[in-house]
């Protein structure tokens, strides 16, 4: 167990606020691809062609195709929240202090698992927005450049509500405030390659004086920045770690 039982007791007694950061690794065992593993999304697609504002201007058809495929993939009945998503929802429900879950994932698996205090810092695959009228709405179908906005009726302005490279992640003020006052920061299933998320561990450590824990399949790029770590599959590690925090059996 990455945290000693006496440390867990102190955190429980203080009702220490927890901030959790998740990445694509937590959804891998639900059947969704990560980005940087050998079979990951960036092995098949070039980031600069599908995940930047310039890509959307240059080739909107390709960008829509990329996100349409992934949006449709989320509707596959085989894609369900796994034991790691469920354990984090349980932690939020049962921990004596605040639990904020910040995910880089644009899938909806944390929400489906029951997490409520949840920030999708890189947006959500099942939402779109209109660059003409600023409508933000749920969307499960395919999107094309001909699709008309349900609010202003103009076509060509609808885009996935996702944060592309070069754009500002969402709700950063709220995230930084929580990192600065948390007692425990847990990073799960992220390679630590993309900022600002990759820098959260240092903020939690320096400003929040938090204990910091990495749970990942393998050491991430920022592994040495964490006080504690455990390596293995999220569906194994996360329920065990949550059970230790809650003093229940997993
Ligand atoms: N359990 C735990 N961790 C796993 C598992 C698993 N079953 N499978 C893979 N991992 C780990 C990998 O070892 C890797 O360190 O998950 C991490 C996934 O890393 P990335 O593919 O880089 O995904 P992520 O860190 O979420 O990427 C960050 O990059 O391109 C973007 O916007 C995209 O939000 C994404 C961001």
């Amino acid at each position: 167990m990455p945290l000693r039982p006496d440390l867990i007791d102190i955190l429980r007694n203080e009702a220490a606020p927890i901030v959790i950061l998740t990445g694509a690794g937590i959804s891998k065992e639900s059947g969704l691809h990560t980005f940087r593993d050998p079979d990951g999304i960036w092995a098949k697609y070039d980031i600069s062609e599908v995940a930047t504002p310039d890509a959307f201007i240059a080739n909107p058809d390709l960008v829509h195709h990329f996100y349409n495929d992934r949006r449709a993939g989320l509707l596959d009945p085989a894609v369900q929240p796994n034991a790691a998503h469920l354990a984090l929802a349980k932690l939020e429900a049962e921990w004596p202090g605040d639990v904020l879950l910040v995910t880089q994932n644009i899938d909806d698996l944390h929400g489906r698992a029951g997490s409520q205090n949840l920030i999708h810092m890189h947006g959500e695959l099942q939402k779109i927005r209109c660059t003409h009228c600023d409508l933000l709405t749920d969307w499960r179908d395919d999107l094309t450049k001909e699709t008309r906005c349900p609010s202003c009726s103009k076509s060509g302005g609808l885009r996935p509500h996702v944060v592309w490279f070069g754009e500002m992640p969402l709700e950063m003020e709220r995230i930084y405030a929580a990192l600065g006052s948390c007692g425990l920061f847990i990073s799960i299933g992220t390679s630590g390659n993309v900022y600002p998320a990759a820098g959260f561990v240092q903020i939690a450590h320096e400003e929040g004086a938090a204990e910091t824990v990495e749970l990942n399949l393998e050491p991430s790029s920022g592994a040495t920045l964490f006080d504690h770590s455990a390596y293995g599959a999220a569906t194994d590690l996360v329920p065990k770690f949550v059970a230790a925090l809650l003093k229940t059996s997993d």
Side-chain angles (χ1 to χ4, degrees):
M1 193 40 51
L3 269 190
R4 290 195 322 269
D6 58 318
L7 217 40
I8 291 177
D9 284 343
I10 293 170
L11 291 167
R12 282 181 64 83
N13 292 338
E14 289 174 347
I18 299 177
V19 177
I20 304 160
L21 172 69
T22 63
I26 197 166
S27 295
K28 170 86 179 179
E29 293 162 89
S30 292
L32 299 179
H33 286 294
T34 61
F35 292 94
R36 293 172 185 78
D37 289 316
D39 62 346
I41 292 170
W42 297 147
K44 288 186 221 120
Y45 286 91
D46 187 332
I47 290 179
S48 66
E49 289 179 0
V50 294
T52 69
D54 285 349
F56 190 53
I57 293 165
N59 194 345
D61 291 331
L62 178 65
V63 174
H64 281 313
H65 170 74
F66 175 69
Y67 288 100
N68 287 344
D69 254 13
R70 296 180 62 201
R71 195 179 300 109
L74 272 190
L75 297 178
D76 180 340
V79 175
Q80 296 293 337
N82 65 44
H85 298 106
L86 294 166
L88 295 183
K90 183 175 161 75
L91 180 64
E92 180 187 334
E94 298 182 15
W95 180 251
D98 287 343
V99 176
L100 174 66
L101 177 52
V102 180
T103 188
Q104 299 168 89
N105 299 343
I106 58 175
D107 67 54
D108 63 341
L109 295 177
H110 283 306
R112 279 201 252 163
S115 287
Q116 292 183 0
N117 199 15
L118 170 64
I119 294 178
H120 278 274
M121 66 177 288
H122 290 170
E124 292 173 70
L125 197 46
Q126 291 179 324
K127 287 193 175 154
I128 59 167
R129 63 177 193 264
C130 178
T131 52
H132 295 308
C133 73
D134 287 338
L135 173 79
L136 173 64
T137 187
D138 292 338
W139 195 265
R140 283 169 184 247
D141 300 327
D142 282 356
L143 196 60
T144 70
K145 59 180 193 285
E146 286 78 34
T147 311
R148 288 187 179 280
C149 171
S151 177
C152 71
S153 300
K154 289 186 187 159
S155 57
L158 293 173
R159 58 164 282 180
H161 182 54
V162 300
V163 175
W164 286 324
F165 285 89
E167 295 183 321
M168 184 60 81
L170 309 175
E171 299 202 54
M172 291 309 297
E173 264 183 40
R174 205 178 133 205
I175 296 171
Y176 284 134
L179 288 169
S181 58
C182 70
L184 176 61
F185 173 75
I186 313 165
S187 174
I188 303 168
T190 175
S191 63
N193 278 296
V194 175
Y195 283 81
F200 289 175
V201 55
Q202 280 159 303
I203 297 169
H205 181 74
E206 285 162 21
E207 289 178 25
E211 297 293 334
T212 58
V213 178
E214 166 161 280
L215 306 176
N216 203 43
L217 196 58
E218 59 196 5
S220 71
S221 303
T224 55
L225 300 170
F226 289 85
D227 303 315
H228 316 272
S229 54
Y231 298 108
T235 55
D236 179 40
L237 291 181
V238 179
K240 283 185 182 148
F241 187 55
V242 166
L245 289 175
L246 295 177
K247 293 192 154 190
T248 54
S249 55
D250 66 307

